[in-house]
Amino acid sequence: MQDQLWYIKHCRLFERLSPDELRRLEQRARIRKFPKNTPIYFPNEAAESVFLLAEGRVKLCSYTPDGKQAILAFIEPGEVFGELTLAGEAQRDEHAETMQPSTVVLLPGEVVSELMHHSPALSLGVTKLIGLRRKRVERRLKTLLFRSNRERLLHLFLDLAEQYGETHPDGVRIRVRLSHLDLASVIGTTRETMTLLLGELRTSGLIGVERHRFVILNLARLAAAVGMPPPRIADGTATTIDPTQKTVPVPRKDWSF
């Protein structure tokens, strides 16, 4: 079994494909390793493929003309991104950049689209993925327009708890490492303002830090501060690829078929 087939088979989106369908997808898949802080694709590039993150971490972001970054989403191992090509988008409209050294599997959009025609489960999974990402972006946009910086940050921690939270003796730990600048780029503020906000939340007993990861010390109180119910914590089960169980593949130098 080739490396890319192992990664595809262990992605939740493709888990219901038949062995023959998995092999068809694997035959056209390509693997590439990226160093930290490296672009995977740029806006206005042709959207001909979707990507599966096998290892590392990726952020989807956009940049203003003066170079300010706005982070739209974080991608973890086992997640697919660049999926709008399956909805007919001809060009990318955001940047995809690595936050850590990352292994990425390229999946030709035409092959995935063909499989969607024969697999209702895959088609439904892609539809749900597009809908969920759109819902999160719209929710974040509303927060940016109508909330204070403090409220934006509290909403962000609720989103992070829902997506990346895991139970911890002191509360809920966010299992991804995020810098002050990362958080600031998501809610549209400066790193200096973010440092002050985090200091206030730590002083009030809402947030702690352990080994460079944030811990929500009182999820119910944090949610109540913005009039929201506490999110359900999935304990990190959303991703299905465990890189520790697989030898890192030898990278291919390009995406060529």
Side-chain angles (χ1 to χ4, degrees):
M1 182 181 294
Q2 297 187 25
D3 292 315
Q4 53 262 47
L5 180 57
W6 188 92
Y7 288 125
I8 295 168
K9 186 177 180 181
H10 287 78
C11 173
R12 180 167 295 176
L13 186 63
F14 303 117
E15 63 185 2
R16 294 188 181 181
L17 293 180
S18 68
D20 286 343
E21 289 172 329
L22 285 170
R23 279 193 291 271
R24 286 173 57 196
L25 191 55
E26 180 271 336
Q27 287 172 357
R28 295 291 304 278
R30 297 292 182 266
I31 287 181
R32 182 176 171 186
K33 290 190 68 177
F34 291 85
K36 181 179 179 180
N37 298 328
T38 302
I40 298 172
Y41 60 74
F42 295 98
N44 301 320
E45 284 189 4
E48 299 175 343
S49 306
V50 295
F51 301 88
L52 167 62
L53 181 60
E55 298 174 350
R57 184 176 304 128
V58 168
K59 61 183 176 183
L60 305 182
C61 55
S62 61
Y63 288 90
T64 63
D66 58 355
K68 293 182 179 179
Q69 181 190 90
I71 296 179
L72 306 175
F74 299 107
I75 306 298
E76 291 293 299
E79 293 187 286
V80 170
F81 60 103
E83 71 282 352
L84 288 182
T85 184
L86 303 176
E89 293 291 332
Q91 293 182 324
R92 308 291 182 193
D93 59 3
E94 78 278 337
H95 294 256
E97 301 177 12
T98 60
M99 301 177 70
Q100 300 175 350
S102 301
T103 301
V104 180
V105 181
L106 177 146
L107 305 168
E110 60 182 21
V111 178
V112 180
S113 295
E114 182 181 349
L115 291 174
M116 288 170 61
H117 287 295
H118 300 285
S119 172
L122 176 59
S123 182
L124 179 60
V126 171
T127 300
K128 286 184 175 180
L129 174 63
I130 293 173
L132 179 60
R133 292 248 169 94
R134 178 176 178 178
K135 180 180 178 181
R136 286 174 176 164
V137 170
E138 289 178 346
R139 184 170 60 187
R140 188 166 297 159
L141 178 60
K142 291 178 181 178
T143 301
L144 290 173
L145 290 174
F146 303 114
R147 301 281 185 169
S148 67
N149 282 332
R150 186 177 189 276
E151 290 172 328
R152 295 176 193 174
L153 181 57
L154 294 178
H155 274 281
L156 175 57
F157 273 121
L158 292 176
D159 286 343
L160 292 172
E162 182 179 35
Q163 296 179 65
Y164 308 117
E166 57 187 10
T167 55
H168 183 272
D170 295 328
V172 177
R173 180 170 62 185
I174 308 302
R175 57 188 173 84
V176 296
R177 295 186 179 186
L178 299 169
S179 67
H180 290 197
L181 182 58
D182 291 331
L183 296 177
S185 296
V186 175
I187 70 168
T189 190
T190 64
R191 180 169 53 184
E192 293 76 15
T193 298
M194 179 58 61
T195 299
L196 293 175
L197 290 171
L198 290 172
E200 293 175 3
L201 295 184
R202 295 181 69 174
T203 300
S204 63
L206 290 175
I207 298 294
V209 178
E210 181 190 78
R211 297 181 181 179
H212 305 290
R213 290 180 172 87
F214 291 102
V215 179
I216 301 175
L217 302 176
N218 192 322
L219 184 61
R221 188 157 68 91
L222 187 148
V226 288
M228 297 286 291
R232 183 178 64 87
I233 305 304
D235 282 327
T237 58
T239 55
T240 58
I241 291 180
D242 181 1
T244 64
Q245 302 299 317
K246 184 71 180 66
T247 302
V248 176
V250 176
R252 309 215 178 187
K253 293 184 177 180
D254 55 44
W255 293 124
S256 60
F257 298 120

